[in-house]
Amino acid sequence: MKQGNLLLAALPEPDFARLAPLLEPVRVDVGEVLCEPGDLIRCIYFPHDSLVSLLGVAEGRMTLEVGLVGREGMLGATVALGHELAQVRAVVQRAGSASRMDSFQFRTEFARNPPLQRVLYRYTDTLLAQAIQIAVCSRFHVLEARLARSLLITRDRLQSEKFHLTHEFLAHALGVRRVGVTKAASALQQQGLIIYSRGNIEILDVAGLAAASCKCYEIVKEAGEAAQATAFI
């Protein structure tokens, strides 16, 4: 349970031991909506091998991905900051396992667990940095570079060059029409950087895809690595 999630793994053993009885192993499926904006946050999720997309929602239908949560973090971190209502739509991007915890119990444990506080403060700072950079990226960078950035971040979270993302999901994540995703993916494929067929993606050239991406990918990646490295300083 602990080793499946890097945030939990960062906790000293005595502090994790107090948390462990409160964690429930669950499975989440692709497309499952774990929360909507305005929902009461009832549960916290610590993904193991699953991946959750965080979508900002406008007018109930227009969306833009503002973050990803994988085994490096958790869904519902804002509960620790006193927020009871969800601010984003959380949709499972890759099925898998996770540990689930009641939000009230988490808030109680957070108040008396300094190591958990330090880890969570670093992690929420990373989420904020990620959301800011993606917002900037969405406004100023071309779709092809944004798609490359999104695929690279997904690769890093999953630690795999092969994964499944439909045109529809990518369109929701990037805030564009499906035809735009088709054109951008075709451009990357013609350059020999990826293979994309019926939602099945394989990254053939990581360095080349990074070159095709904007600098936002490196900024988001470095922010996450820095947060993990300094969690207990």
Side-chain angles (χ1 to χ4, degrees):
M1 181 185 297
K2 180 178 180 180
Q3 297 304 320
N5 180 275
L6 298 181
L7 192 152
L8 293 176
L11 294 174
E13 197 59 43
D15 298 283
F16 174 74
R18 291 206 305 269
L19 209 65
L22 306 175
L23 296 171
E24 174 192 8
V26 295
R27 178 176 175 81
V28 293
D29 296 317
V30 173
E32 183 178 351
V33 179
L34 301 181
C35 67
E36 290 278 6
D39 283 356
L40 182 66
I41 302 175
R42 300 183 183 279
C43 297
I44 307 299
Y45 291 84
F46 297 89
H48 296 175
D49 54 359
S50 53
L51 190 64
V52 180
S53 175
L54 308 180
L55 301 171
V57 183
E59 301 174 7
R61 57 186 181 84
M62 296 181 289
T63 60
L64 178 69
E65 187 174 72
V66 295
L68 277 175
V69 179
R71 65 191 297 264
E72 82 294 334
M74 62 176 288
L75 174 64
T78 54
V79 165
L81 305 178
H83 295 288
E84 295 184 349
L85 303 180
Q87 298 168 311
V88 297
R89 175 182 296 161
V91 182
V92 178
Q93 181 173 315
R94 182 188 185 184
S97 59
S99 292
R100 185 171 63 190
M101 183 176 179
D102 176 81
S103 61
F104 177 78
Q105 292 179 323
F106 175 78
R107 189 181 295 113
T108 301
E109 184 59 32
F110 177 81
R112 64 184 183 185
N113 191 328
L116 180 60
Q117 293 170 16
R118 289 194 290 271
V119 170
L120 261 293
Y121 287 146
R122 291 290 184 181
Y123 179 62
T124 52
D125 186 59
T126 300
L127 282 180
L128 178 59
Q130 183 178 189
I132 291 171
Q133 201 60 45
I134 290 175
V136 171
C137 183
S138 300
R139 172 63 179 85
F140 294 109
H141 297 149
V142 299
L143 182 55
E144 185 179 321
R146 291 169 54 203
L147 176 59
R149 180 259 302 162
S150 181
L151 296 180
L152 286 166
I153 292 175
T154 300
R155 169 197 175 270
D156 292 346
R157 294 293 193 275
L158 296 178
Q159 292 292 293
S160 174
E161 272 71 36
K162 296 181 180 181
F163 43 89
H164 185 85
L165 291 175
T166 65
H167 278 68
E168 182 177 7
F169 187 92
L170 285 169
H172 284 300
L174 296 170
V176 298
R177 297 171 60 191
R178 289 180 60 179
V179 64
V181 173
T182 300
K183 290 179 179 179
S186 295
L188 295 177
Q189 188 161 246
Q190 288 171 5
Q191 296 173 58
L193 304 178
I194 67 170
I195 295 175
Y196 190 14
S197 177
R198 297 186 178 181
N200 295 312
I201 298 172
E202 180 178 359
I203 297 177
L204 302 177
D205 183 351
V206 175
L209 194 61
S213 174
C214 47
K215 294 296 182 182
C216 298
Y217 164 63
E218 290 296 336
I219 293 173
V220 171
K221 180 181 179 182
E222 289 171 6
E225 291 174 348
Q228 290 184 28
T230 59
F232 288 98
I233 292 178

